[in-house]
Each structure stands twice: as C-alpha cells, then as structure tokens.
Amino acid sequence: MTDALIFDVDGTLADTEETHRQAFNYAFLRYDLGWEWDPPSYRELLKISGGKERIARYIQTLPLSATEAARLSHLVGAIHRAKTELYVELIADGRCPLRPGIARLLDEAQQAGMRLAIASTTTAANVDALLTRHLGSGALSRFHTIACGDLVPNKKPAPDIYLHALSTLGLSADRCVAFEDSRNGLLAAVRAGLYTVVTPSQWNVGEDFREAEFVLSHLGDAEHPLPPEEAAAIGGPWLGLAQLAQLHAQSRRNSRC
Ligand code: XBP
Ligand code: MG
C-alpha cells in the first residue's frame, strides 16, 4: 500500500534551474562581483546541492588572496538572500510551469486519500512561490510535510531531508514513493530507503540513475502522453496512481523474496 508521495522540487515539480541560474547571475550583478555562471558552468555547479554551498564552493575555485576569499565568504548569505528574492520575483511571472503529470498526480493522490510531501534542497520561499503560483493560494496546505532548505544539516545526496520528511509523515519508507530528477536527489531518496521514480530534467540527462525503480521522460498526462516505449514499460500513456501503486507493491513483494 502506498500511503504518501514525496516530491523533490527543482527539476521534478518544474524545470526551475534555468531560473535559478538567472537569479544567481542577477544577484552577482547586484553585488558587482563580476561573476557569470553560464549554462555549462552551472551544470557542473549543480552537482553541489544548495545555493549557499554552491556559491561558497565557487569562491574556493577563484584565484583570490586569503583576505578577499574571506571577505567574499562572509558575503555568501547576503548574496544568496538577494538571489532568493530575485528568484521568487522571476517565478511569480509563471515562467516555470509544472512538469507534465505533476498536477494530475497530486490530484489523484489526494482524491485517493494519500498524503503529499516535499523533500527539497531549495529554500522554503522558493517552494512557496512555485506551488502558490501554479496551484493557488491554498497550495502549501495540500502537503502534509514540506521539508526543505536548511532544515537539515546535510543536503542531498545525504538522506537527511527524506528522513526528516518520513519522520514528519510518521510513515516507514516502504509506504512511500519518492520522485526525483537528479542523481544527488536519487541517492538521497534511496539512502532513506525509498522507492524512487526519476524524471530527469534537462540539466541531468545522462546522469547515472541505476538505483531508480524506473526513469521516465516525465509523469505524463492526456496532453503530454509518454513516449511509446515508456508507456509500454509502465502499462499506460502516463503514470497513474493505479499503475504506481501496482509497481510499488510488486517491488515490495520482490524485495521480500
Ligand atoms: C535543487 C538544489 C537547490 C537549487 C537552488 O534543489 O540543489 O540548491 O538549485 O535553490 P532540489 P537554493 O532538491 O529541489 O532539486 O538556492 O534555494 O538552494
Ligand atoms: Mg531536483
């Protein structure tokens, strides 16, 4: 029995990383840092979970005096707060629609009496902005648990954020399904013992997802059916709750053999 669905945010609910990248660059301009994260650089930097950690690691790569490196390191929090403020503004214009199948599966799960949860590295303000923009003012209340940002000391690929979500849900991992887009997120979910479905974002295509139960282009819906080979693999043109529950139950039976 699947009692709860736990969703990652960036790349899973919506393809948000290009907007994050732009917000980082706007913040760097605001602080007159002379930094510019182009897409190839950002793809590499995304391997570091957490915006503050990403900026801090980037500073370490720069040819700076110890004094300048220390000065900039003390600015990371302020730069990141500016980035978050800019990101929230950018998200408000609706530029990052929910990925195919997300709104559908959230509705199906709630109608079936399942609990919904979030397990994300991103900042709470960013989760609020994205969910409210696309699911309306009551969006956050649809989620039993919103675990995100600095709530835990160790970010993905550590399992901490998923373990926190499970603890708040009061459910064991085998009663839940996780949805992720990246290898960092997949490892975090699997290390927390979760059955994990991966829908890679454009930034993660080609990563190693061997630990995933299955990998899909997206979750699909009537307007965006899955590619034929994926539909054949899951037994339908999109990942419906019935299929997911059946696939999850099968996996649990297999793991007991
Ligand atoms: C992806 C991340 C986040 C975002 C930026 O989060 O690693 O750091 O890239 O957001 P998710 P912040 O777990 O949802 O995929 O700047 O707020 O960290
Ligand atoms: Mg993600």
Side-chain angles (χ1 to χ4, degrees), residues 3 20 84 113 122 160 171 175 194 242:
D3 295 326
H20 279 298
T84 301
T122 200
D160 301 36
L171 292 170
R175 314 293 291 193
L194 283 158

Side-chain angles (χ1 to χ4, degrees), residues 150-200:
D150 295 332
L151 210 52
V152 292
N154 308 304
K155 295 188 173 172
K156 299 175 184 176
D160 301 36
I161 200 72
Y162 278 104
L163 294 172
H164 182 91
L166 287 168
S167 163
T168 314
L169 282 164
L171 292 170
S172 56
D174 66 344
R175 314 293 291 193
C176 304
V177 172
F179 296 85
E180 270 289 351
D181 71 299
S182 68
R183 179 158 184 76
N184 271 348
L186 168 61
L187 289 176
V190 166
R191 288 168 179 168
L194 283 158
Y195 179 100
T196 307
V197 176
V198 172
T199 51

Side-chain angles (χ1 to χ4, degrees), residues 43-120:
R43 184 180 302 278
E44 268 314 295
L45 285 160
L46 266 176
K47 291 183 170 63
I48 303 150
S49 270
K52 292 190 292 295
E53 295 78 358
R54 203 166 294 150
I55 298 170
R57 182 76 63 80
Y58 177 70
I59 290 170
Q60 290 170 1
T61 68
L62 299 174
L64 301 167
S65 68
T67 311
E68 181 60 1
R71 183 186 76 83
L72 289 171
S73 298
H74 284 103
L75 267 182
V76 168
I79 297 166
H80 190 254
R81 281 189 294 277
K83 175 263 174 182
T84 301
E85 190 186 304
L86 292 158
Y87 175 84
V88 167
E89 277 176 39
L90 293 173
I91 284 292
D93 76 7
R95 66 180 59 211
C96 292
L98 296 181
R99 292 188 68 188
I102 292 292
R104 171 188 59 74
L105 194 58
L106 292 175
D107 288 344
E108 284 182 28
Q110 277 198 290
Q111 283 152 23
M114 283 185 179
R115 285 181 227 166
L116 299 175
I118 293 285
S120 169

Side-chain angles (χ1 to χ4, degrees), residues 10-11 14-27 37 39 42 46 54 82-97 122 126 129-130 134 202-203:
D10 293 311
D15 203 348
T16 54
E17 290 296 354
E18 174 54 20
T19 302
H20 279 298
R21 185 183 73 86
Q22 292 174 20
F24 278 112
N25 287 332
Y26 287 145
W37 286 354
Y42 194 60
L46 266 176
R54 203 166 294 150
K83 175 263 174 182
T84 301
E85 190 186 304
L86 292 158
Y87 175 84
V88 167
E89 277 176 39
L90 293 173
I91 284 292
D93 76 7
R95 66 180 59 211
C96 292
T122 200
N126 298 345
L130 184 75
H134 295 296
Q202 57 172 309
W203 299 89

